[in-house]
Amino acid sequence: MPRLVIVSNRVPIPGDRNPAAGGLAVGLADALTEGSLWFGWSGRRASTTSEHPAIVSAHGVTYATIDIAEIDYRHYYTGFANGALYPLLLYRLGLMSFRQEDYAGYRTVNRAFATVLAPLLRPDDMIWVHDYQLFAVGHELRACGVEQRIGFFLHTPFVPPPLFCALPRAVELLEALCACDVIGFHTHDYREAFLQCVRVLLNIEADSEATFTYRGRVIQAIVAPIGIDVAAFTAMATRNATSVAANSLMQSLGGRPLGISVDRLDYAKGLPNRIQAVDRLLAQYPEHRKRVTFLQIAAPSREELADYRGLRRELDRTVGEVNGRYSEADWTPIRHITRAIRRSSLAGFYRLARLGIVTPLRDGMNLVAKEFIAAQNPADPGVLILSRFAGAAEELTDALIVNPFDADEVANAMHLGINMPLDERQSRHKALLASIRGSSARRFCQHFLEVLSPQPVHSAEPTDV
Ligand code: ADQ
């Protein structure tokens, strides 16, 4: 059985005092087995980038991390990864800013990851690299002589050639990515966009199995939608729906409906657009005034970037305007929390909500949509409103699918959801639950690792039902 080596920008070390809110750690927890190694950045900025890893072990898993020099961090993380690549992959060309020195810093840090990781590797390892921060790690590992199987999974969307070509050094980056043996995406659309880029930029045609050969290496592009541990999340939601925090939320609602949204505070998540939709709902359907309450929980993210700070100001302002317009002495339409809250509390809150409003302008997958479904009481489930531009919309077709740019359409879906009869809520929820069980976190990991593995992985059938 090969050892699994996960490589990602941040490493979720158990007991970390500042865990980042985000989907990656949630989705990969199931892949880890006794003996696995997880390698990445420590989260610390230092005067120099480490040449040797700091190693800790917990629950049979080894975590190896390096510090990154402040200057490298600025070019790699703030500059190229989040200033150029992320907006590009999220279809926000207008926010993309490219600087040659940022790209060089990105390549330097990807090389540093590979140089420190390579001596830790064993001949039977399989290496699974994650996300847009590390497009070139596979290439750099090959340059260190690593011949083990390398897989890459992209957690964001991938964009078609007219957009991807806007990135200076696009060809170089695509070539670097093609040092991997398996490249995975959440949806068929993203894989197709990637294969189109391979066709247009590298002049290589994939076969009907989405396999192609580049510089003598056979590369398989796969679709592997990430999921959650449904049974565990349902259990957590059931337990926490009667917690002190959930009880106090419920009492404050006085039996009136709750809409909930949970996001990283990111411009791709469509937060200001969602607040506009609430505004439209209260304007168009006055019967919901003094009745429905919206709980928006947004965890700060990438605050060192001006675009993110600007978003926070815009959100505070928009929420203030809507609350100012509609609040009464005893009712406020939007409760706005800008910090991460405990996962267990979130689960309980989801279960109390009539509406789960998940309306990103673009999103690789969006695990909040899946968590909301898993948290519902099947006897009296809430309604999921889901952006058609979230990867999750490819699977969750029984949600109320909306265009997040159309505030009136989202407002109408909210109205429909609040008034939806029980039997329709139940039948939609049943179908959605079946869907998330079919693409659980365990299946995601198993599928990817089966393709990556040099020999078939023999594992028990998923019991995630
Ligand atoms: P994210 O955009 O970070 O990651 P997302 O799918 O939205 O991931 O999941 C976020 C996770 O963080 C969820 O488990 C959620 O409960 C938690 N979370 C979010 N806000 C929180 C808050 N305020 N407090 C506490 N917890 C919070 C990327 C891509 C996604 C993709 C994931 C996984 O952008 O599209 O789904 O990776 O591949």
Side-chain angles (χ1 to χ4, degrees), residues 185-195 222-225 391 394:
F185 303 91
H186 286 304
T187 73
H188 291 87
D189 277 0
Y190 308 162
R191 178 174 71 176
E192 182 50 31
F194 167 72
L195 292 176
I222 67 166
V223 176
E394 193 171 285

Side-chain angles (χ1 to χ4, degrees), residues 119-167:
L120 304 179
L121 295 175
R122 300 178 192 153
D124 67 339
D125 282 345
M126 54 183 177
I127 303 147
W128 191 4
V129 182
H130 288 266
D131 230 358
Y132 63 95
Q133 300 93 349
L134 304 177
F135 268 140
V137 162
H139 170 84
E140 300 297 348
L141 283 169
R142 298 288 182 225
C144 294
V146 171
E147 275 308 317
Q148 290 90 326
R149 302 265 294 166
I150 303 179
F152 178 89
F153 190 82
L154 183 64
H155 291 261
T156 66
F158 202 89
V159 288
L163 281 165
F164 196 67
C165 289
L167 179 73

